[in-house]
Amino acid sequence: MLTSLPNILTLSRIAAIPLLLVLLYLDTPLFRWLALGGYVLACVTDYFDGYLARHMNEVSPLGRFLDPIADKLLVASLIVMLVATQQISGLLIVPAIIILAREILVSGLREYLAEIKISVPVTALAKWKTAIQMIALGFLIVGEAGPAIIPVQWIGEAGLWVAGALTAITGYDYLSRGLKHMVGESGSS
């Protein structure tokens, strides 16, 4: 059901991406704060689309397909734009690349395992990774437009390093669990 409220919330997250990117591209303090507001709304929809789908008994194959794609599009687009605007630069590109690479890895792994009817549940550590990543990106969106008394850029950078480390750990975990199914499948053929 494309018109169910949970799916509309998920689609709104995808639709918000161009607006967020334009606000970051224009790069004024006001637009950075507006981008943060839009980003926070997008993050809130990430929680509520799943909650409402379960609560309203409207969990659908379309929603299960769209939700992780919306998340990955939002994160990847923001990371690329923050690199382009040099909010993420120097060595900070390392955790950014780790995050992007893991998203591609896990997407491919989930797609392959779905073909052989094996689901890969989200771990508690992966949920923590997502939360820290979302917070770090929020701080990086505001960057130097934040209040001088708060080290906004530093908090965002530190958070991105922590998210990058957790991303590497959870990526390895998913890959090792997935490889067990791949090796087991080819060994039995």
Side-chain angles (χ1 to χ4, degrees):
M1 284 193 289
L2 192 58
T3 59
S4 72
L5 182 56
N7 287 342
I8 290 171
L9 289 174
T10 301
L11 291 169
S12 74
R13 203 157 59 251
I14 296 170
I17 294 169
L19 175 62
L20 295 175
L21 298 182
V22 166
L23 290 170
L24 289 173
Y25 178 76
L26 295 174
D27 198 17
T28 68
L30 173 62
F31 289 151
R32 285 198 172 271
W33 282 100
L34 289 173
L36 175 64
Y39 174 68
V40 168
L41 282 173
C43 290
V44 169
T45 68
D46 186 28
Y47 170 77
F48 279 109
D49 61 7
Y51 172 80
L52 289 173
R54 289 184 298 277
H55 181 72
M56 298 167 59
N57 200 25
E58 291 188 2
V59 174
S60 67
L62 179 64
R64 284 193 307 267
F65 167 75
L66 283 177
D67 184 60
I69 289 174
D71 297 343
K72 286 167 183 33
L73 287 173
L74 179 64
V75 168
S77 298
L78 285 174
I79 286 175
V80 168
M81 186 53 114
L82 290 170
V83 168
T85 59
Q86 297 186 352
Q87 285 297 112
I88 295 175
S89 62
L91 281 178
L92 196 59
I93 291 176
V94 172
I97 290 172
I98 289 170
I99 290 168
L100 292 175
R102 184 251 191 210
E103 296 302 338
I104 294 166
L105 171 81
V106 170
S107 293
L109 182 62
R110 284 181 191 268
E111 182 179 333
Y112 172 78
L113 293 175
E115 288 176 15
I116 58 174
K117 307 285 190 256
I118 295 171
S119 69
V120 182
V122 176
T123 64
L125 189 59
K127 289 182 181 186
W128 276 101
K129 180 270 312 175
T130 299
I132 292 168
Q133 176 180 284
M134 286 178 162
I135 292 166
L137 287 175
F139 275 94
L140 290 171
I141 286 169
V142 173
E144 300 302 322
I149 195 165
I150 300 171
V152 174
Q153 184 70 26
W154 183 87
I155 293 169
E157 290 174 4
L160 196 64
W161 279 106
V162 172
L166 293 175
T167 296
I169 293 166
T170 60
Y172 175 79
D173 180 48
Y174 282 126
L175 182 60
S176 64
R177 287 193 285 152
L179 284 174
K180 288 178 186 174
H181 296 288
M182 291 178 207
V183 171
E185 181 184 87
S186 65
S188 64
S189 305

